[in-house]
């Protein structure tokens, strides 16, 4: 898909990978609609990104809010479900409200946002839903039972939606990154020394490349990890 003048919706575009995606797609001439909760931060980010970026303050886990945003955006060619939160720890140590939040945002948020925007995506001759999942949506990990449950849910949703829409104009893709250098972990109270994890700008450019491919090409279930060398740890 040629991205120039295309309307893209990015959930969680005010920080981390979503912000890098916004920059990368704006550089290709796309119109970028960003959804995130914190309005002050969103306003600052949109100002920084320039006139082709628009911000919508909403919580992806709140159906009414997301549905309202979907009414305000006239047309959508690309939906990137990227918003997410981290939860870590043994199941017995995970608080119920944090479990609810992780499932509500990481899983239900992707389902709600896709449901809200699908009618608009279906109106275009060529459109794309790209879900930013995680390698934790493919493999179980120590201390990640709830996070993995939310991300495995997104993997299942992505795979099934792809089959549902396979004969339509809407392409569905799953993208599975490993660790990236963002504030995802500190926000959940689990800071990591992640300065040398993958750069979000580089990861965003790979997603942009995936979006640029023709609708007839399948570049799906892309797993991206930092290459471990004998000099890295
Ligand atoms: N960082 C990693 O190592 C890593 C690895 C694999 C996969 N991932 C996945 O990649 C995605 C992006 O992660 P990131 O590291 O870039 O995170 P991040 O830097 O913490 O950014 C998260 C973004 O999502 C927004 N957000 C969070 N909850 C939201 C909600 N309920 N409704 C709307 N927006 C919401 C945040 O803004 P507000 O807080 O203002 O809403 C922010 O813009 C996530 O799905 C994450 O699970 C991350």
């Amino acid at each position: 898909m040629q991205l120039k003048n295309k309307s893209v919706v990015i959930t969680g575009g005010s920080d981390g990978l979503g912000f890098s995606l916004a920059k990368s797609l704006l550089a290709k001439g796309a119109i970028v609609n960003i959804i995130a909760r914190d309005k002050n931060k969103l306003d600052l980010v949109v100002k920084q990104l320039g006139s082709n970026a628009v911000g919508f303050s909403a919580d992806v886990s709140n159906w009414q809010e997301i549905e309202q945003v979907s009414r305000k955006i006239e047309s959508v060619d690309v939906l990137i479900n990227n918003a997410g939160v981290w939860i870590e720890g043994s199941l017995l140590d995970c608080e119920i409200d944090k479990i609810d939040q992780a499932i509500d945002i990481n899983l239900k948020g992707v389902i709600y946002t896709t449901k809200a925007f699908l009618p608009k995506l279906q109106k275009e001759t060529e459109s794309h839903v790209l879900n930013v999942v995680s390698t934790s949506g493919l493999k179980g990990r120590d201390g990640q039972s709830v996070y993995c449950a939310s991300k495995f849910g997104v993997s299942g949703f992505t795979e099934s939606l792809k089959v549902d829409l396979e004969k339509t104009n809407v392409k569905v893709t799953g993208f599975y990154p490993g660790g990236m250098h963002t504030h995802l972990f500190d926000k959940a109270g689990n800071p990591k020394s992640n300065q040398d994890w993958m750069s979000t700008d580089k990861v965003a450019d790979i997603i942009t490349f995936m979006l640029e491919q023709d609708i007839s090409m399948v570049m799906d279930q892309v797993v991206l990890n930092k290459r471990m060398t004998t000099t890295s740890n």
Side-chain angles (χ1 to χ4, degrees):
M1 180 191 288
Q2 276 282 346
L3 293 166
K4 193 164 173 54
N5 295 325
K6 292 286 161 41
S7 169
V8 181
V9 171
I10 308 175
T11 67
S14 63
D15 206 354
L17 177 62
F19 179 63
S20 292
L21 274 167
K23 288 189 293 179
S24 177
L25 292 164
L26 284 165
K28 294 285 178 179
I31 316 293
V32 172
N33 301 282
I34 295 175
I35 301 176
R37 295 166 301 181
D38 183 337
K39 189 168 179 338
N40 291 336
K41 185 168 179 180
L42 191 58
D43 289 346
L44 278 174
V45 161
V46 164
K47 205 170 161 193
Q48 189 184 342
L49 290 171
S51 58
N52 280 346
V54 190
F56 297 91
S57 171
D59 182 338
V60 291
S61 66
N62 181 316
W63 168 250
Q64 278 75 26
E65 287 184 19
I66 284 303
E67 216 250 335
Q68 246 178 40
V69 172
S70 74
R71 286 174 199 274
K72 290 181 189 158
I73 302 176
E74 209 176 293
S75 65
V76 180
D77 301 283
V78 178
L79 168 63
I80 305 179
N81 284 305
N82 162 79
V85 290
W86 177 248
I87 178 168
E88 175 180 318
S90 73
L91 182 58
L92 293 181
D93 290 337
C94 288
E95 292 162 16
I96 290 297
D97 63 324
K98 298 286 180 208
I99 296 174
D100 286 345
Q101 190 196 44
I103 302 293
D104 285 351
I105 297 174
N106 294 1
L107 177 55
K108 283 163 71 181
V110 174
I111 299 172
Y112 287 176
T113 310
T114 309
K115 183 174 166 63
F117 285 100
L118 192 54
K120 297 232 154 105
L121 290 155
Q122 285 177 321
K123 282 194 184 134
E124 302 302 322
T125 47
E126 185 185 339
S127 59
H128 198 159
V129 177
L130 186 140
N131 293 336
V132 175
V133 196
S134 166
T135 50
S136 298
L138 297 170
K139 194 174 185 297
R141 294 226 169 85
D142 186 28
Q144 292 191 27
S145 57
V146 179
Y147 185 73
C148 282
S150 71
K151 293 293 183 177
F152 268 71
V154 181
S155 305
F157 175 70
T158 307
E159 287 305 299
S160 269
L161 190 72
K162 193 194 312 172
V163 177
D164 275 358
L165 299 176
E166 144 181 280
K167 293 194 170 61
T168 75
N169 52 325
V170 187
K171 181 153 94 171
V172 179
T173 300
F175 179 74
Y176 300 82
M180 295 177 283
H181 179 209
T182 73
H183 295 293
L184 179 80
F185 309 97
D186 349 325
K187 289 176 190 171
N190 307 108
K192 311 268 175 230
S193 310
N194 63 356
Q195 290 84 347
D196 65 346
W197 292 8
M198 289 189 291
S199 133
T200 54
D201 285 349
K202 287 185 182 166
V203 175
D205 285 345
I206 289 170
I207 295 177
T208 298
F209 176 75
M210 289 169 69
L211 295 173
E212 284 180 316
Q213 302 313 304
D214 192 85
I215 193 168
S216 65
M217 305 295 282
V218 181
M219 188 185 288
D220 180 29
Q221 292 178 318
V222 172
V223 179
L224 190 70
N225 273 303
K226 185 181 170 177
R227 179 166 174 252
M228 301 305 277
T229 63
T230 46
T231 52
S232 60
N233 46 41

